[in-house]
Amino acid sequence: MAVASTQVQLPAVKQTQQAPLSIKARDPFWLGGAASCAAAFVSHPFDLTKVRLQTTQGTNTHGMIGTMINVARNEGFFALYTGLSASLLRQGTYSTVRFGTYDVLKEKFGPKDGSRIPVSTMMLCGVLAGCIGGGFGNPADVVNIRMVNDGKLPKDQQRHYKHAFDGLYRIVKEEGPGQLMRGLGPNMNRAILMTSSQLVSYDGFKRQLLATPWFRDNLLTHFASSLLAGLVATTVCAPLDVLKTRIMNSSSTNISSTHMFIHIVKTEGPMALFKGWLPAFLRLGPHTIVTFIVLEQLKVLVHQKKQQQQQQ
């Protein structure tokens, strides 16, 4: 009888050991977009300030703090959140697609034996994901830039979009649907640089930190990795970010990124391509930190839910 009892219990032990192995499935496509939307609530005032500085012609004497104070004083405190609906729409399209596509491509092109993904493969995945995400997010980006810069324009030139969808509707109605693709070239190039620098550097920094005896896969590691990734991404993307902002905010219909680049360097100097770097970092730094911390926590919740479903 004792032998029979042992034989009955063995399969149960095997099932308990094998159950966690099947949990390792692809994360939901929407996780990155949800985390980015949460981060937008933190970073939007800095995003507005960055756009205001980038669209300033010539020398700006206010700086980041001065610009934020002027906006709050002249337009009201909540003016710092002008265009929040467009920012959320942008994150819901652009970030959802680039994060989700990046994970899909890593799974497709990465090693199937569970070994580390080469940096070159991650870079390729980042380039492709950024290109696709930049295209999907371009319409919302056009509306976002126009909304956050509206208060800076003369009264007779202000557009007064009520919200993101009103902006999309009015652009199509008043200017044609093609205007939603304004600045697509520099925007996609920026998205490529952003994804390949932000996501790949986060994975790289996290990998290096976990390889040391001082870091574990916890909040501290996520914070440090995302802070460094934000610094890298801000510096890499600064010139294209300025070009994208100037083109999307312009009323001219025939302006290329090359022409805008030459115009800025010729009239304002090469350092003008890094205008708004500090507010861009203060915007992208917290945004990157919140995004990846929320993303990691969402992954934990999703994995726990999958595990609970398997155990039922």
Side-chain angles (χ1 to χ4, degrees), residues 65-85:
I65 301 299
T67 300
M68 294 185 76
I69 292 174
N70 282 341
V71 170
R73 179 185 299 160
N74 299 327
E75 304 172 42
F77 173 79
F78 290 104
L80 291 171
Y81 280 90
T82 299
L84 179 62
S85 63

Side-chain angles (χ1 to χ4, degrees), residues 43-64:
S43 62
H44 188 75
F46 296 102
D47 197 20
L48 181 143
T49 305
K50 179 200 71 173
V51 171
R52 294 287 181 95
L53 288 172
Q54 288 176 339
T55 54
T56 299
Q57 302 288 333
T59 303
N60 181 54
T61 57
H62 295 299
M64 181 199 66

Side-chain angles (χ1 to χ4, degrees), residues 90 94 97-98 125-139 141-142 145 180-197 236-237 240-241 243-245 247-248 257:
R90 175 177 178 268
Y94 159 69
V97 172
R98 73 186 183 104
C125 295
V127 168
L128 295 174
C131 183
I132 298 171
F136 270 90
N138 203 84
D141 211 4
V142 172
I145 286 177
L180 293 177
M181 291 294 110
R182 173 188 290 273
L184 179 62
N187 196 31
M188 290 181 70
N189 289 332
R190 179 189 178 277
I192 289 171
L193 291 177
M194 175 63 71
T195 306
S196 57
S197 61
V236 170
C237 297
L240 277 174
D241 202 21
L243 289 176
K244 180 203 74 170
T245 300
I247 291 173
M248 288 184 175
S257 55

Side-chain angles (χ1 to χ4, degrees), residues 68-246:
M68 294 185 76
I69 292 174
N70 282 341
V71 170
R73 179 185 299 160
N74 299 327
E75 304 172 42
F77 173 79
F78 290 104
L80 291 171
Y81 280 90
T82 299
L84 179 62
S85 63
S87 182
L88 292 173
L89 179 61
R90 175 177 178 268
Q91 297 301 335
T93 52
Y94 159 69
S95 290
T96 298
V97 172
R98 73 186 183 104
F99 271 89
T101 304
Y102 179 67
D103 286 338
V104 170
L105 293 175
K106 280 200 304 180
E107 181 180 326
K108 182 174 180 61
F109 296 121
K112 302 300 186 289
D113 58 358
S115 59
R116 285 184 173 183
I117 303 176
V119 175
S120 58
T121 301
M122 291 195 295
M123 288 292 292
L124 174 62
C125 295
V127 168
L128 295 174
C131 183
I132 298 171
F136 270 90
N138 203 84
D141 211 4
V142 172
V143 177
N144 180 50
I145 286 177
R146 290 188 175 193
M147 289 184 73
V148 300
N149 198 55
D150 208 39
K152 182 183 172 183
L153 298 174
K155 293 290 184 181
D156 59 335
Q157 297 180 22
Q158 293 180 1
R159 301 176 177 99
H160 298 295
Y161 298 150
K162 297 176 183 177
H163 46 73
F165 293 104
D166 178 57
L168 291 171
Y169 172 76
R170 284 182 52 189
I171 289 174
V172 172
K173 181 181 178 181
E174 298 169 7
E175 305 175 46
Q179 292 302 305
L180 293 177
M181 291 294 110
R182 173 188 290 273
L184 179 62
N187 196 31
M188 290 181 70
N189 289 332
R190 179 189 178 277
I192 289 171
L193 291 177
M194 175 63 71
T195 306
S196 57
S197 61
Q198 186 187 49
L199 274 63
V200 174
S201 63
Y202 176 80
D203 285 344
F205 285 128
K206 182 181 175 183
R207 176 189 295 180
Q208 294 300 318
L209 291 176
L210 291 176
T212 69
W214 304 289
F215 288 90
R216 299 181 183 274
D217 194 359
N218 54 22
L219 185 63
L220 176 62
T221 302
H222 303 159
F223 175 83
S225 302
S226 56
L227 177 63
L228 293 170
L231 179 63
V232 171
T234 303
T235 305
V236 170
C237 297
L240 277 174
D241 202 21
V242 172
L243 289 176
K244 180 203 74 170
T245 300
R246 294 284 185 94

